[in-house]
Amino acid sequence: MLENKNGTSEVSTTRTSFEILGLIRDAGGATIAEIRAETDLAKSTVYRHLKTLHDMDYLVEEDGEYRLSLRFLQLSEPPRIRRPGYIVAKQKVIELAIETDERALFLVEEGFEGVYLHRAGGRNPLQSDTMIGKRRPLHALASGKAILAEWPDERIEEFAEATALEELTANTITDRDALFEELEQVRERGYATNMSEHMDGLRAAGVPVYNHEDDLIGALSVFGPNGRVSQDDIESTYPDLLERKASELKIDLTYD
């Protein structure tokens, strides 16, 4: 048994299997040699992990290259479907993408991280987005800040301490006091912005989403490159549209 960064016990072989799966996922497929080159694992160790995952149908192998199998859909889809507002939010994200001709998303919070539950946009808003399930820092996203602004100050303090407000660009908020000041502005105007705070050259607006019982369930956001998304879009056009979609979502959930 090993201890992780939180000081709790963990099974090292389980961690290794998931690290290998992550490597294969990011590469879109990998051979034993490629996995060894990215890790400090012996060839026999890599083989045992791959064989076990392959025998359990979580990996497929072709010409020595291993890829994730569709079996992971059985694990990933049930948690998404059980999330409040899952079905209705998906439709609203598609509508936002079509109406703005930019990317839109529905973000939820889990373990002090933002998780993409739905994302759409580009040439085909109806096509499934490969970023679904990706985790992102709440303090650097418009949707993330929209969620944070709805929390009590005590929980925001816990968040700031736990995440250390990682810097992603020169515009990322990394100071606790600056974060509280920003979130107070979000509360006053009803929407949050991301001005190249997560990625250089991108702007976004986001609003919180509540269900019919007034429980916070996530946030909607629209984002795009600075060359297409103007200051007026971020401060007027998108917030008005997002707030309307959030209200529609809340009403739809009443009759869902």
Side-chain angles (χ1 to χ4, degrees):
M1 302 285 283
L2 299 175
E3 284 195 348
N4 61 20
K5 62 183 179 181
N6 297 317
T8 56
S9 297
E10 62 183 26
V11 180
S12 59
T13 53
T14 303
R15 172 176 284 275
T16 300
S17 287
F18 276 99
E19 288 176 347
I20 290 174
L21 288 171
L23 191 155
I24 293 172
R25 176 203 61 204
D26 293 343
T31 63
I32 292 178
E34 289 169 338
I35 294 171
R36 287 192 64 206
E38 295 293 328
T39 67
D40 295 326
L41 301 173
K43 180 178 180 180
S44 59
T45 301
V46 173
Y47 175 77
R48 287 197 302 271
H49 282 276
L50 293 176
K51 186 178 188 309
T52 299
L53 292 165
H54 182 267
D55 289 347
M56 295 177 68
D57 295 327
Y58 285 105
L59 291 177
V60 294
E61 182 270 334
E62 184 175 352
D63 297 330
E65 182 180 75
Y66 291 85
R67 292 177 285 105
L68 301 188
S69 78
L70 296 177
R71 190 176 184 85
F72 279 98
L73 291 175
Q74 295 177 296
L75 298 179
S76 64
E77 195 62 12
R80 281 211 296 166
I81 292 175
R82 284 196 294 269
R83 276 280 180 168
Y86 170 79
I87 300 298
V88 181
K90 182 176 183 178
Q91 180 59 38
K92 296 306 172 186
V93 168
I94 292 173
E95 290 174 8
L96 283 166
I98 293 174
E99 292 178 34
T100 63
D101 202 24
E102 296 293 349
R103 291 198 178 275
L105 62 85
F106 179 64
L107 187 89
V108 298
E109 179 269 335
E110 185 177 75
F112 282 159
E113 291 183 302
V115 182
Y116 293 146
L117 208 60
H118 298 299
R119 216 180 76 137
R123 294 183 178 179
N124 187 359
L126 299 179
Q127 185 175 346
S128 179
D129 196 294
T130 57
M131 298 295 287
I132 298 304
K134 290 286 187 181
R135 293 176 174 267
R136 295 291 184 260
L138 293 171
H139 67 289
L141 300 176
S143 51
K145 286 188 283 185
I147 290 174
L148 288 174
E150 301 301 299
W151 289 0
D153 288 350
E154 294 79 10
R155 192 176 184 199
I156 299 173
E157 290 276 13
E158 294 176 11
F159 166 81
E161 183 176 349
T163 63
L165 301 179
E166 177 188 3
E167 181 177 353
L168 300 170
T169 74
N171 295 321
T172 307
I173 296 175
T174 59
D175 177 75
R176 171 204 167 279
D177 291 338
L179 176 64
F180 271 91
E181 183 178 342
E182 171 79 2
L183 296 181
E184 187 57 38
Q185 293 178 10
V186 173
R187 290 164 178 162
E188 291 176 0
R189 67 191 180 210
Y191 67 91
T193 63
N194 164 12
M195 309 301 282
S196 297
E197 297 163 51
H198 177 252
M199 186 178 296
D200 287 324
L202 287 182
R203 289 175 174 161
V207 300
V209 175
Y210 282 84
N211 65 14
H212 58 293
E213 296 179 339
D214 287 327
D215 297 319
L216 178 67
I217 61 173
L220 288 170
S221 179
V222 174
F223 65 98
N226 294 347
R228 290 201 306 260
V229 177
S230 69
Q231 193 80 13
D232 187 59
D233 287 331
I234 293 299
E235 296 178 351
S236 178
T237 306
Y238 290 172
D240 289 346
L241 179 58
L242 286 162
E243 288 170 5
R244 187 169 76 247
K245 295 299 180 183
S247 296
E248 292 173 0
L249 198 160
K250 182 177 182 179
I251 293 171
D252 290 345
L253 287 175
T254 304
Y255 305 100
D256 189 16

